[in-house]
Amino acid sequence: MAGPQLLPRTDLEHVDAGGVIDRLLADLRGGRRLAGGVPYRHVNGFTKIVAARYDDGSRLTLHYWPASRTAAQHVSRPHDHRFPFSSILLGGRQYFVELDEDPAGEPWQRFTYRPYLGGTLAHIAACGWIGLTQVRTVERAPLHGQYVTTSAIVHRAVTDRREACATLVMRGPREKVRSQVYYRPDEPPPRGGVQLGRRLARAEVTRQLQDIAAMIS
């Protein structure tokens, strides 16, 4: 199964990750507000730091999963996105599992997911049941190649939490208002149809960026 083609805006090949991190650290140390807004802990367990925004709606972001020697692998719920994107693994261990909707596949409850306020708040609504079938696994290696996906591909990110993990992501312009997220039949649905992210203190963001910088030095 061939992967999707890179769009010009989502190609990360010529992005200087070290320069991006240095600029963010300089802004934090200088007491300046980051151009992408306040970093926050995403509901899927990672820190999201927007490094740049573009006029067409594209964004360059850093994602960071803190180490936890007592935590099991973090396996995200199956989901698609509202935009295409490419991603480079900067450090740590992570891979993707891609799935197709298939009436004969394993049953999941499907929800629509619509974020607001830059993703710090999301509204979730149930929209029926569907089967999912795994179609491929995409292995990753730090600073080697890009993972590329479209807004239509359903996938799960599997992240080893025994050490910190970080990715650099270039997302293209938004192509739809909502994305899909899937829950197992035995999982409790989101309470009240709302999920909240957690804004992070400047000192915590600085420490995490320093850790990412050490990964690629």
Side-chain angles (χ1 to χ4, degrees):
M1 178 179 175
Q5 297 296 308
L6 281 168
L7 300 175
R9 170 62 83 188
T10 61
D11 191 348
L12 282 166
E13 182 179 353
H14 302 297
V15 174
D16 177 10
V20 170
I21 296 166
D22 288 345
R23 175 174 54 79
L24 290 169
L25 282 170
D27 285 343
L28 286 169
R29 289 166 177 158
R32 294 182 290 275
R33 184 178 184 275
L34 299 184
V38 179
Y40 65 94
R41 180 67 50 79
H42 193 277
V43 295
N44 285 330
F46 59 86
T47 296
K48 184 173 183 179
I49 304 170
V50 179
R53 300 177 188 267
Y54 303 96
D55 291 341
D56 65 356
S58 300
R59 293 182 186 176
L60 180 67
T61 63
L62 283 161
H63 296 176
Y64 177 87
W65 290 258
S68 175
R69 296 191 180 277
T70 60
Q73 283 185 326
H74 182 270
V75 184
S76 69
R77 292 186 178 91
H79 60 283
D80 63 12
H81 289 267
R82 298 176 301 149
F83 40 77
F85 73 85
S86 61
S87 169
I88 291 176
L89 180 63
L90 300 178
R93 297 186 179 93
Q94 185 184 74
Y95 65 91
F96 285 97
V97 176
E98 295 184 346
L99 309 103
D100 278 345
E101 290 193 350
D102 176 4
E106 180 184 357
W108 294 76
Q109 188 172 13
R110 182 171 55 188
F111 291 78
T112 59
Y113 177 95
R114 182 172 184 176
Y116 296 89
L117 301 177
T120 56
L121 177 135
H123 179 261
I124 299 180
C127 59
W129 292 83
I130 190 66
L132 291 177
T133 299
Q134 181 174 327
V135 292
R136 73 166 181 155
T137 298
V138 184
E139 300 291 345
R140 314 187 74 188
L143 301 175
H144 181 75
Q146 303 179 62
Y147 173 71
V148 183
T149 185
T150 71
S151 61
I153 291 176
V154 176
H155 67 191
R156 311 183 77 179
V158 182
T159 308
D160 190 332
R161 293 291 306 282
R162 290 174 295 179
E163 60 182 289
C165 179
T167 60
L168 182 67
V169 177
M170 181 71 85
R171 51 158 281 189
R174 190 178 69 191
E175 297 178 344
K176 53 190 180 183
V177 174
R178 297 175 178 85
S179 58
Q180 315 295 321
V181 61
Y182 303 79
Y183 284 65
R184 291 187 183 277
D186 58 350
E187 285 187 291
R191 293 182 179 179
V194 173
Q195 288 186 342
L196 297 173
R198 177 174 67 86
R199 291 178 180 269
L200 300 178
R202 183 176 292 263
E204 185 175 359
V205 177
T206 299
R207 181 187 60 77
Q208 293 184 3
L209 283 170
Q210 289 172 333
D211 193 17
I212 299 172
M215 293 178 183
I216 61 177
S217 62

PDB file of all heavy atoms in Angstrom, residues 16-26 29 49 62-64 90-91 143 164-167 205-217:
ATOM      1  N   ASP A  16      14.636  23.469   9.239  1.00  0.00           N
ATOM      2  CA  ASP A  16      15.725  23.395  10.213  1.00  0.00           C
ATOM      3  C   ASP A  16      15.125  23.233  11.609  1.00  0.00           C
ATOM      4  O   ASP A  16      14.768  24.213  12.261  1.00  0.00           O
ATOM      5  CB  ASP A  16      16.570  24.670  10.126  1.00  0.00           C
ATOM      6  CG  ASP A  16      17.686  24.717  11.165  1.00  0.00           C
ATOM      7  OD1 ASP A  16      17.938  23.685  11.825  1.00  0.00           O
ATOM      8  OD2 ASP A  16      18.305  25.793  11.303  1.00  0.00           O
ATOM      9  N   ALA A  17      15.008  21.983  12.062  1.00  0.00           N
ATOM     10  CA  ALA A  17      14.373  21.726  13.356  1.00  0.00           C
ATOM     11  C   ALA A  17      15.139  22.395  14.489  1.00  0.00           C
ATOM     12  O   ALA A  17      14.541  22.970  15.410  1.00  0.00           O
ATOM     13  CB  ALA A  17      14.267  20.219  13.595  1.00  0.00           C
ATOM     14  N   GLY A  18      16.456  22.328  14.433  1.00  0.00           N
ATOM     15  CA  GLY A  18      17.254  22.965  15.473  1.00  0.00           C
ATOM     16  C   GLY A  18      17.026  24.459  15.531  1.00  0.00           C
ATOM     17  O   GLY A  18      16.927  25.047  16.623  1.00  0.00           O
ATOM     18  N   GLY A  19      16.927  25.091  14.373  1.00  0.00           N
ATOM     19  CA  GLY A  19      16.667  26.529  14.337  1.00  0.00           C
ATOM     20  C   GLY A  19      15.296  26.880  14.885  1.00  0.00           C
ATOM     21  O   GLY A  19      15.132  27.902  15.561  1.00  0.00           O
ATOM     22  N   VAL A  20      14.312  26.034  14.590  1.00  0.00           N
ATOM     23  CA  VAL A  20      12.959  26.253  15.116  1.00  0.00           C
ATOM     24  C   VAL A  20      12.976  26.223  16.639  1.00  0.00           C
ATOM     25  O   VAL A  20      12.407  27.089  17.321  1.00  0.00           O
ATOM     26  CB  VAL A  20      11.990  25.186  14.563  1.00  0.00           C
ATOM     27  CG1 VAL A  20      10.645  25.245  15.295  1.00  0.00           C
ATOM     28  CG2 VAL A  20      11.788  25.371  13.063  1.00  0.00           C
ATOM     29  N   ILE A  21      13.649  25.218  17.211  1.00  0.00           N
ATOM     30  CA  ILE A  21      13.699  25.084  18.672  1.00  0.00           C
ATOM     31  C   ILE A  21      14.473  26.237  19.296  1.00  0.00           C
ATOM     32  O   ILE A  21      14.066  26.790  20.324  1.00  0.00           O
ATOM     33  CB  ILE A  21      14.318  23.725  19.043  1.00  0.00           C
ATOM     34  CG1 ILE A  21      13.412  22.595  18.547  1.00  0.00           C
ATOM     35  CG2 ILE A  21      14.524  23.616  20.558  1.00  0.00           C
ATOM     36  CD1 ILE A  21      14.070  21.239  18.545  1.00  0.00           C
ATOM     37  N   ASP A  22      15.591  26.619  18.682  1.00  0.00           N
ATOM     38  CA  ASP A  22      16.384  27.742  19.208  1.00  0.00           C
ATOM     39  C   ASP A  22      15.554  29.016  19.254  1.00  0.00           C
ATOM     40  O   ASP A  22      15.635  29.794  20.225  1.00  0.00           O
ATOM     41  CB  ASP A  22      17.628  27.964  18.342  1.00  0.00           C
ATOM     42  CG  ASP A  22      18.673  26.876  18.532  1.00  0.00           C
ATOM     43  OD1 ASP A  22      18.583  26.105  19.512  1.00  0.00           O
ATOM     44  OD2 ASP A  22      19.591  26.788  17.680  1.00  0.00           O
ATOM     45  N   ARG A  23      14.770  29.266  18.213  1.00  0.00           N
ATOM     46  CA  ARG A  23      13.939  30.475  18.176  1.00  0.00           C
ATOM     47  C   ARG A  23      12.882  30.450  19.271  1.00  0.00           C
ATOM     48  O   ARG A  23      12.647  31.462  19.953  1.00  0.00           O
ATOM     49  CB  ARG A  23      13.285  30.613  16.800  1.00  0.00           C
ATOM     50  CG  ARG A  23      12.301  31.775  16.699  1.00  0.00           C
ATOM     51  CD  ARG A  23      11.791  31.956  15.284  1.00  0.00           C
ATOM     52  NE  ARG A  23      11.219  30.757  14.731  1.00  0.00           N
ATOM     53  CZ  ARG A  23       9.984  30.310  15.012  1.00  0.00           C
ATOM     54  NH1 ARG A  23       9.222  30.982  15.855  1.00  0.00           N
ATOM     55  NH2 ARG A  23       9.521  29.218  14.449  1.00  0.00           N
ATOM     56  N   LEU A  24      12.247  29.294  19.461  1.00  0.00           N
ATOM     57  CA  LEU A  24      11.231  29.185  20.510  1.00  0.00           C
ATOM     58  C   LEU A  24      11.841  29.400  21.893  1.00  0.00           C
ATOM     59  O   LEU A  24      11.279  30.104  22.740  1.00  0.00           O
ATOM     60  CB  LEU A  24      10.559  27.819  20.433  1.00  0.00           C
ATOM     61  CG  LEU A  24       9.647  27.579  19.228  1.00  0.00           C
ATOM     62  CD1 LEU A  24       9.278  26.104  19.134  1.00  0.00           C
ATOM     63  CD2 LEU A  24       8.394  28.436  19.308  1.00  0.00           C
ATOM     64  N   LEU A  25      13.011  28.803  22.129  1.00  0.00           N
ATOM     65  CA  LEU A  25      13.675  28.974  23.419  1.00  0.00           C
ATOM     66  C   LEU A  25      14.070  30.431  23.644  1.00  0.00           C
ATOM     67  O   LEU A  25      13.936  30.957  24.761  1.00  0.00           O
ATOM     68  CB  LEU A  25      14.900  28.070  23.503  1.00  0.00           C
ATOM     69  CG  LEU A  25      14.621  26.593  23.806  1.00  0.00           C
ATOM     70  CD1 LEU A  25      15.883  25.770  23.612  1.00  0.00           C
ATOM     71  CD2 LEU A  25      14.091  26.428  25.229  1.00  0.00           C
ATOM     72  N   ALA A  26      14.543  31.095  22.598  1.00  0.00           N
ATOM     73  CA  ALA A  26      14.930  32.500  22.723  1.00  0.00           C
ATOM     74  C   ALA A  26      13.723  33.367  23.088  1.00  0.00           C
ATOM     75  O   ALA A  26      13.810  34.272  23.921  1.00  0.00           O
ATOM     76  CB  ALA A  26      15.573  32.993  21.431  1.00  0.00           C
ATOM     77  N   ARG A  29      12.855  32.646  26.822  1.00  0.00           N
ATOM     78  CA  ARG A  29      13.831  33.239  27.736  1.00  0.00           C
ATOM     79  C   ARG A  29      13.756  34.753  27.728  1.00  0.00           C
ATOM     80  O   ARG A  29      14.080  35.402  28.725  1.00  0.00           O
ATOM     81  CB  ARG A  29      15.230  32.764  27.359  1.00  0.00           C
ATOM     82  CG  ARG A  29      15.464  31.287  27.676  1.00  0.00           C
ATOM     83  CD  ARG A  29      16.697  30.750  26.993  1.00  0.00           C
ATOM     84  NE  ARG A  29      16.960  29.347  27.359  1.00  0.00           N
ATOM     85  CZ  ARG A  29      17.679  28.504  26.635  1.00  0.00           C
ATOM     86  NH1 ARG A  29      18.215  28.915  25.493  1.00  0.00           N
ATOM     87  NH2 ARG A  29      17.873  27.273  27.039  1.00  0.00           N
ATOM     88  N   ILE A  49       3.141  22.472  20.731  1.00  0.00           N
ATOM     89  CA  ILE A  49       3.729  23.800  20.650  1.00  0.00           C
ATOM     90  C   ILE A  49       3.664  24.249  19.191  1.00  0.00           C
ATOM     91  O   ILE A  49       4.289  23.632  18.322  1.00  0.00           O
ATOM     92  CB  ILE A  49       5.196  23.794  21.126  1.00  0.00           C
ATOM     93  CG1 ILE A  49       5.302  23.221  22.546  1.00  0.00           C
ATOM     94  CG2 ILE A  49       5.794  25.203  21.063  1.00  0.00           C
ATOM     95  CD1 ILE A  49       6.733  22.950  22.994  1.00  0.00           C
ATOM     96  N   LEU A  62       5.461  21.369  17.151  1.00  0.00           N
ATOM     97  CA  LEU A  62       6.248  20.366  17.858  1.00  0.00           C
ATOM     98  C   LEU A  62       5.319  19.607  18.800  1.00  0.00           C
ATOM     99  O   LEU A  62       4.490  20.220  19.480  1.00  0.00           O
ATOM    100  CB  LEU A  62       7.363  21.032  18.673  1.00  0.00           C
ATOM    101  CG  LEU A  62       8.583  21.516  17.895  1.00  0.00           C
ATOM    102  CD1 LEU A  62       9.348  22.542  18.723  1.00  0.00           C
ATOM    103  CD2 LEU A  62       9.490  20.355  17.516  1.00  0.00           C
ATOM    104  N   HIS A  63       5.468  18.288  18.830  1.00  0.00           N
ATOM    105  CA  HIS A  63       4.706  17.441  19.740  1.00  0.00           C
ATOM    106  C   HIS A  63       5.696  16.726  20.651  1.00  0.00           C
ATOM    107  O   HIS A  63       6.702  16.184  20.175  1.00  0.00           O
ATOM    108  CB  HIS A  63       3.873  16.417  18.973  1.00  0.00           C
ATOM    109  CG  HIS A  63       2.825  17.027  18.104  1.00  0.00           C
ATOM    110  ND1 HIS A  63       2.017  16.287  17.259  1.00  0.00           N
ATOM    111  CD2 HIS A  63       2.444  18.319  17.923  1.00  0.00           C
ATOM    112  CE1 HIS A  63       1.183  17.086  16.620  1.00  0.00           C
ATOM    113  NE2 HIS A  63       1.436  18.332  16.998  1.00  0.00           N
ATOM    114  N   TYR A  64       5.392  16.702  21.948  1.00  0.00           N
ATOM    115  CA  TYR A  64       6.329  16.139  22.928  1.00  0.00           C
ATOM    116  C   TYR A  64       5.579  15.270  23.931  1.00  0.00           C
ATOM    117  O   TYR A  64       4.610  15.725  24.550  1.00  0.00           O
ATOM    118  CB  TYR A  64       7.047  17.279  23.656  1.00  0.00           C
ATOM    119  CG  TYR A  64       7.997  16.829  24.747  1.00  0.00           C
ATOM    120  CD1 TYR A  64       9.317  16.497  24.451  1.00  0.00           C
ATOM    121  CD2 TYR A  64       7.576  16.757  26.073  1.00  0.00           C
ATOM    122  CE1 TYR A  64      10.196  16.095  25.457  1.00  0.00           C
ATOM    123  CE2 TYR A  64       8.453  16.364  27.084  1.00  0.00           C
ATOM    124  CZ  TYR A  64       9.754  16.036  26.762  1.00  0.00           C
ATOM    125  OH  TYR A  64      10.624  15.640  27.760  1.00  0.00           O
ATOM    126  N   LEU A  90      11.806  13.192  15.917  1.00  0.00           N
ATOM    127  CA  LEU A  90      13.050  13.828  16.350  1.00  0.00           C
ATOM    128  C   LEU A  90      13.810  12.976  17.360  1.00  0.00           C
ATOM    129  O   LEU A  90      15.042  12.998  17.408  1.00  0.00           O
ATOM    130  CB  LEU A  90      12.759  15.202  16.957  1.00  0.00           C
ATOM    131  CG  LEU A  90      12.083  16.215  16.033  1.00  0.00           C
ATOM    132  CD1 LEU A  90      11.818  17.511  16.785  1.00  0.00           C
ATOM    133  CD2 LEU A  90      12.931  16.482  14.790  1.00  0.00           C
ATOM    134  N   GLY A  91      13.084  12.248  18.190  1.00  0.00           N
ATOM    135  CA  GLY A  91      13.715  11.408  19.194  1.00  0.00           C
ATOM    136  C   GLY A  91      12.680  10.548  19.885  1.00  0.00           C
ATOM    137  O   GLY A  91      11.490  10.859  19.873  1.00  0.00           O
ATOM    138  N   LEU A 143      14.953  11.142  13.014  1.00  0.00           N
ATOM    139  CA  LEU A 143      15.631  11.972  12.010  1.00  0.00           C
ATOM    140  C   LEU A 143      15.860  11.225  10.695  1.00  0.00           C
ATOM    141  O   LEU A 143      16.836  11.456   9.993  1.00  0.00           O
ATOM    142  CB  LEU A 143      16.966  12.486  12.568  1.00  0.00           C
ATOM    143  CG  LEU A 143      16.860  13.314  13.849  1.00  0.00           C
ATOM    144  CD1 LEU A 143      18.250  13.656  14.375  1.00  0.00           C
ATOM    145  CD2 LEU A 143      16.043  14.579  13.603  1.00  0.00           C
ATOM    146  N   ALA A 164      11.457  10.037  26.594  1.00  0.00           N
ATOM    147  CA  ALA A 164      10.715  11.120  25.969  1.00  0.00           C
ATOM    148  C   ALA A 164      10.683  10.935  24.456  1.00  0.00           C
ATOM    149  O   ALA A 164      11.598  10.353  23.857  1.00  0.00           O
ATOM    150  CB  ALA A 164      11.343  12.466  26.321  1.00  0.00           C
ATOM    151  N   CYS A 165       9.623  11.416  23.841  1.00  0.00           N
ATOM    152  CA  CYS A 165       9.462  11.314  22.391  1.00  0.00           C
ATOM    153  C   CYS A 165       9.047  12.678  21.863  1.00  0.00           C
ATOM    154  O   CYS A 165       8.281  13.406  22.514  1.00  0.00           O
ATOM    155  CB  CYS A 165       8.401  10.258  22.066  1.00  0.00           C
ATOM    156  SG  CYS A 165       8.079  10.035  20.299  1.00  0.00           S
ATOM    157  N   ALA A 166       9.547  13.035  20.683  1.00  0.00           N
ATOM    158  CA  ALA A 166       9.192  14.325  20.088  1.00  0.00           C
ATOM    159  C   ALA A 166       9.096  14.196  18.575  1.00  0.00           C
ATOM    160  O   ALA A 166       9.858  13.446  17.954  1.00  0.00           O
ATOM    161  CB  ALA A 166      10.226  15.399  20.445  1.00  0.00           C
ATOM    162  N   THR A 167       8.160  14.923  18.001  1.00  0.00           N
ATOM    163  CA  THR A 167       8.008  14.962  16.549  1.00  0.00           C
ATOM    164  C   THR A 167       7.859  16.408  16.093  1.00  0.00           C
ATOM    165  O   THR A 167       7.384  17.267  16.842  1.00  0.00           O
ATOM    166  CB  THR A 167       6.774  14.165  16.080  1.00  0.00           C
ATOM    167  OG1 THR A 167       5.592  14.718  16.661  1.00  0.00           O
ATOM    168  CG2 THR A 167       6.884  12.702  16.482  1.00  0.00           C
ATOM    169  N   VAL A 205       7.426  24.343  29.570  1.00  0.00           N
ATOM    170  CA  VAL A 205       7.641  24.359  28.124  1.00  0.00           C
ATOM    171  C   VAL A 205       9.131  24.514  27.820  1.00  0.00           C
ATOM    172  O   VAL A 205       9.671  23.836  26.927  1.00  0.00           O
ATOM    173  CB  VAL A 205       6.838  25.495  27.467  1.00  0.00           C
ATOM    174  CG1 VAL A 205       7.128  25.557  25.973  1.00  0.00           C
ATOM    175  CG2 VAL A 205       5.341  25.305  27.711  1.00  0.00           C
ATOM    176  N   THR A 206       9.815  25.387  28.554  1.00  0.00           N
ATOM    177  CA  THR A 206      11.258  25.576  28.349  1.00  0.00           C
ATOM    178  C   THR A 206      12.004  24.277  28.577  1.00  0.00           C
ATOM    179  O   THR A 206      12.886  23.891  27.776  1.00  0.00           O
ATOM    180  CB  THR A 206      11.786  26.663  29.302  1.00  0.00           C
ATOM    181  OG1 THR A 206      11.127  27.901  29.032  1.00  0.00           O
ATOM    182  CG2 THR A 206      13.296  26.842  29.124  1.00  0.00           C
ATOM    183  N   ARG A 207      11.687  23.570  29.651  1.00  0.00           N
ATOM    184  CA  ARG A 207      12.357  22.306  29.947  1.00  0.00           C
ATOM    185  C   ARG A 207      12.121  21.287  28.836  1.00  0.00           C
ATOM    186  O   ARG A 207      13.043  20.567  28.421  1.00  0.00           O
ATOM    187  CB  ARG A 207      11.853  21.749  31.281  1.00  0.00           C
ATOM    188  CG  ARG A 207      12.509  20.431  31.680  1.00  0.00           C
ATOM    189  CD  ARG A 207      11.867  19.835  32.908  1.00  0.00           C
ATOM    190  NE  ARG A 207      10.465  19.555  32.703  1.00  0.00           N
ATOM    191  CZ  ARG A 207      10.003  18.506  32.023  1.00  0.00           C
ATOM    192  NH1 ARG A 207      10.856  17.648  31.457  1.00  0.00           N
ATOM    193  NH2 ARG A 207       8.709  18.300  31.896  1.00  0.00           N
ATOM    194  N   GLN A 208      10.909  21.219  28.332  1.00  0.00           N
ATOM    195  CA  GLN A 208      10.604  20.263  27.279  1.00  0.00           C
ATOM    196  C   GLN A 208      11.332  20.606  25.978  1.00  0.00           C
ATOM    197  O   GLN A 208      11.848  19.725  25.279  1.00  0.00           O
ATOM    198  CB  GLN A 208       9.092  20.196  27.064  1.00  0.00           C
ATOM    199  CG  GLN A 208       8.362  19.594  28.256  1.00  0.00           C
ATOM    200  CD  GLN A 208       6.874  19.438  28.034  1.00  0.00           C
ATOM    201  OE1 GLN A 208       6.360  19.731  26.953  1.00  0.00           O
ATOM    202  NE2 GLN A 208       6.171  18.959  29.046  1.00  0.00           N
ATOM    203  N   LEU A 209      11.396  21.894  25.639  1.00  0.00           N
ATOM    204  CA  LEU A 209      12.128  22.300  24.441  1.00  0.00           C
ATOM    205  C   LEU A 209      13.620  22.001  24.583  1.00  0.00           C
ATOM    206  O   LEU A 209      14.275  21.594  23.610  1.00  0.00           O
ATOM    207  CB  LEU A 209      11.910  23.787  24.170  1.00  0.00           C
ATOM    208  CG  LEU A 209      10.561  24.159  23.556  1.00  0.00           C
ATOM    209  CD1 LEU A 209      10.373  25.677  23.562  1.00  0.00           C
ATOM    210  CD2 LEU A 209      10.443  23.623  22.130  1.00  0.00           C
ATOM    211  N   GLN A 210      14.173  22.187  25.762  1.00  0.00           N
ATOM    212  CA  GLN A 210      15.578  21.845  25.983  1.00  0.00           C
ATOM    213  C   GLN A 210      15.812  20.349  25.790  1.00  0.00           C
ATOM    214  O   GLN A 210      16.838  19.936  25.237  1.00  0.00           O
ATOM    215  CB  GLN A 210      15.997  22.278  27.388  1.00  0.00           C
ATOM    216  CG  GLN A 210      16.103  23.778  27.565  1.00  0.00           C
ATOM    217  CD  GLN A 210      16.323  24.190  29.016  1.00  0.00           C
ATOM    218  OE1 GLN A 210      15.923  23.482  29.946  1.00  0.00           O
ATOM    219  NE2 GLN A 210      16.938  25.340  29.230  1.00  0.00           N
ATOM    220  N   ASP A 211      14.856  19.545  26.211  1.00  0.00           N
ATOM    221  CA  ASP A 211      14.974  18.094  26.028  1.00  0.00           C
ATOM    222  C   ASP A 211      14.936  17.754  24.548  1.00  0.00           C
ATOM    223  O   ASP A 211      15.716  16.908  24.066  1.00  0.00           O
ATOM    224  CB  ASP A 211      13.829  17.398  26.772  1.00  0.00           C
ATOM    225  CG  ASP A 211      14.039  15.908  26.900  1.00  0.00           C
ATOM    226  OD1 ASP A 211      15.181  15.440  26.724  1.00  0.00           O
ATOM    227  OD2 ASP A 211      13.062  15.183  27.187  1.00  0.00           O
ATOM    228  N   ILE A 212      14.044  18.400  23.787  1.00  0.00           N
ATOM    229  CA  ILE A 212      13.980  18.141  22.345  1.00  0.00           C
ATOM    230  C   ILE A 212      15.290  18.570  21.672  1.00  0.00           C
ATOM    231  O   ILE A 212      15.815  17.864  20.798  1.00  0.00           O
ATOM    232  CB  ILE A 212      12.792  18.885  21.712  1.00  0.00           C
ATOM    233  CG1 ILE A 212      11.467  18.397  22.326  1.00  0.00           C
ATOM    234  CG2 ILE A 212      12.759  18.666  20.205  1.00  0.00           C
ATOM    235  CD1 ILE A 212      10.256  19.212  21.911  1.00  0.00           C
ATOM    236  N   ALA A 213      15.820  19.722  22.063  1.00  0.00           N
ATOM    237  CA  ALA A 213      17.083  20.190  21.495  1.00  0.00           C
ATOM    238  C   ALA A 213      18.197  19.182  21.746  1.00  0.00           C
ATOM    239  O   ALA A 213      19.040  18.937  20.858  1.00  0.00           O
ATOM    240  CB  ALA A 213      17.446  21.551  22.084  1.00  0.00           C
ATOM    241  N   ALA A 214      18.217  18.560  22.929  1.00  0.00           N
ATOM    242  CA  ALA A 214      19.236  17.570  23.229  1.00  0.00           C
ATOM    243  C   ALA A 214      19.085  16.325  22.360  1.00  0.00           C
ATOM    244  O   ALA A 214      20.075  15.656  22.039  1.00  0.00           O
ATOM    245  CB  ALA A 214      19.163  17.189  24.710  1.00  0.00           C
ATOM    246  N   MET A 215      17.858  16.000  21.958  1.00  0.00           N
ATOM    247  CA  MET A 215      17.634  14.830  21.105  1.00  0.00           C
ATOM    248  C   MET A 215      18.323  14.950  19.748  1.00  0.00           C
ATOM    249  O   MET A 215      18.761  13.950  19.170  1.00  0.00           O
ATOM    250  CB  MET A 215      16.132  14.639  20.869  1.00  0.00           C
ATOM    251  CG  MET A 215      15.326  14.251  22.070  1.00  0.00           C
ATOM    252  SD  MET A 215      13.558  14.129  21.624  1.00  0.00           S
ATOM    253  CE  MET A 215      12.830  13.752  23.214  1.00  0.00           C
ATOM    254  N   ILE A 216      18.380  16.170  19.225  1.00  0.00           N
ATOM    255  CA  ILE A 216      18.880  16.335  17.850  1.00  0.00           C
ATOM    256  C   ILE A 216      20.261  16.960  17.808  1.00  0.00           C
ATOM    257  O   ILE A 216      20.780  17.269  16.722  1.00  0.00           O
ATOM    258  CB  ILE A 216      17.910  17.189  17.020  1.00  0.00           C
ATOM    259  CG1 ILE A 216      17.739  18.583  17.593  1.00  0.00           C
ATOM    260  CG2 ILE A 216      16.556  16.497  16.939  1.00  0.00           C
ATOM    261  CD1 ILE A 216      16.840  19.479  16.760  1.00  0.00           C
ATOM    262  N   SER A 217      20.879  17.202  18.977  1.00  0.00           N
ATOM    263  CA  SER A 217      22.202  17.833  18.996  1.00  0.00           C
ATOM    264  C   SER A 217      23.306  16.821  18.662  1.00  0.00           C
ATOM    265  O   SER A 217      23.109  15.618  18.745  1.00  0.00           O
ATOM    266  CB  SER A 217      22.464  18.436  20.366  1.00  0.00           C
ATOM    267  OG  SER A 217      22.460  17.440  21.365  1.00  0.00           O
TER     268      SER A 217
END
